[in-house]
Amino acid sequence: MIATEQKSNRDGRPILIVLHQERSSPGRVGQLLVEKGYRLDIRRPVLGEPLPTTLKEHAGAVVFGGPMSANDPDDFVKKEIGWIDIPLREKRPYLGICLGAQMLVRHLGGKVQSNADGSTEIGWYPLHPTEKGRLLMHWPKMVYHFHREGFELPHGADLLAEGDTYPNQAFRYDGNAWGLQFHAELTRVMMHRWVVHGAHRFILPNAQQGREHLEGRMLFDAPLKAWLTEFLDIVFEGKPAKAASSITLPA
């Protein structure tokens, strides 16, 4: 466990950060949470680090992505999916990103699977907020992906944003749990690393080439970062988005 010490937010409880590789980083999500005054309690279950038996001493949890599948038979994957019962039962904020969202879906009884045609989302793709999503906040028009599996919308969840290749991109469940299929957390260094180490995946159906990843960052990253800043306030502090108050939708 690694703790990042900064000025405390509210009552000083840290946010649990769950990563799935030895050198993984919480990236921009971690940076923004620290800027907002939170400490980070970083755990890596894949390396045998235990997850807490309660989140009463935490301000919430973020479960990040990884190269594994939520369908894998590994013990740590099954245990992590089962562990999600804790934030749900205790009504603590939970944010799942890519694999973290897919684990939430599995916990709620939904399916995680690839499209029948093998199509992926690897690169920058359009995002379409639903009516409930638009009422919540403004969303970026383009978001970054690196996955070849998507998920069903869990029973009882509110769909907030959709995509063209994998329809379910963002959802909220029971007020406190959130799932994102896309990645808003990548710093510039992280994206360069993903493009280098993930280059073998660029031959997969619908995947973009490395130069498109980097060119897209120059075009689309600023609004994605602005969105993430607001979104984290909604998830962990329950703040209404500033943009939402300016949106008027037909009855």
Side-chain angles (χ1 to χ4, degrees), residues 11 16 22 41 67 110 160 189 195 212:
D11 57 8
L16 178 69
E22 183 176 3
D41 177 3
L160 303 177
V189 171
V195 166
E212 297 175 90

Side-chain angles (χ1 to χ4, degrees), residues 12-248:
R13 290 182 291 186
I15 290 180
L16 178 69
I17 301 292
V18 181
L19 301 174
H20 296 103
Q21 291 180 287
E22 183 176 3
R23 296 185 179 181
S24 292
S25 162
R28 181 179 284 160
V29 166
Q31 292 173 357
L32 290 173
L33 289 173
V34 169
E35 288 176 10
K36 294 175 187 295
Y38 290 101
R39 292 181 297 120
L40 307 181
D41 177 3
I42 299 177
R43 315 271 184 116
R44 293 177 172 85
V46 67
L47 301 182
E49 296 176 353
L51 295 176
T53 57
T54 178
L55 281 181
K56 293 179 181 178
E57 301 302 321
H58 290 80
V62 185
V63 177
F64 286 80
M68 59 287 297
S69 168
N71 297 318
D72 285 349
D74 304 72
D75 285 344
F76 86 90
V77 172
K78 295 179 179 178
K79 288 180 180 178
E80 196 171 323
I81 291 172
W83 174 86
I84 295 174
D85 183 61
I86 291 174
L88 295 182
R89 187 177 67 247
E90 296 181 352
K91 304 293 185 183
R92 308 301 294 164
Y94 173 95
L95 171 59
I97 298 173
C98 199
L99 176 63
Q102 294 170 357
M103 286 180 162
L104 173 59
V105 169
R106 285 294 310 277
H107 182 84
L108 295 172
K111 292 181 180 179
V112 172
Q113 59 191 11
S114 298
N115 282 344
D117 62 1
S119 55
T120 67
E121 287 180 321
I122 298 176
W124 294 90
Y125 301 89
L127 188 71
H128 313 293
T130 64
E131 182 175 348
K132 289 183 178 179
R134 291 192 298 271
L135 285 170
L136 181 72
M137 65 186 304
H138 284 315
W139 294 73
K141 294 181 179 180
M142 299 288 285
V143 292
Y144 188 69
H145 290 271
F146 216 106
H147 69 97
R148 51 184 175 178
E149 288 184 317
F151 53 76
E152 290 182 333
L153 183 68
H155 180 71
D158 292 324
L159 184 63
L160 303 177
E162 299 174 296
D164 297 331
T165 304
Y166 283 87
N168 299 321
Q169 292 288 330
F171 69 91
R172 175 172 56 184
Y173 177 81
D174 198 27
N176 298 94
W178 307 76
L180 302 176
Q181 181 62 81
F182 56 90
H183 295 276
E185 78 276 16
L186 268 70
T187 63
R188 180 180 58 82
V189 171
M190 287 172 67
M191 182 169 288
H192 277 272
R193 188 166 66 244
W194 285 28
V195 166
V196 170
H197 293 290
H200 63 285
R201 297 180 184 238
F202 299 161
I203 63 172
L204 296 173
N206 199 49
Q208 297 171 7
Q209 298 305 301
R211 66 180 182 279
E212 297 175 90
H213 295 226
L214 302 176
E215 290 169 358
R217 182 176 181 85
M218 292 187 289
L219 296 171
F220 309 125
D221 185 62
L224 183 58
K225 180 181 179 180
W227 170 85
L228 180 62
T229 300
E230 261 192 307
F231 183 69
L232 292 175
D233 283 342
I234 294 172
V235 172
F236 292 105
E237 300 188 17
K239 290 183 179 180
K242 298 174 183 177
S245 61
S246 66
I247 300 174
T248 301

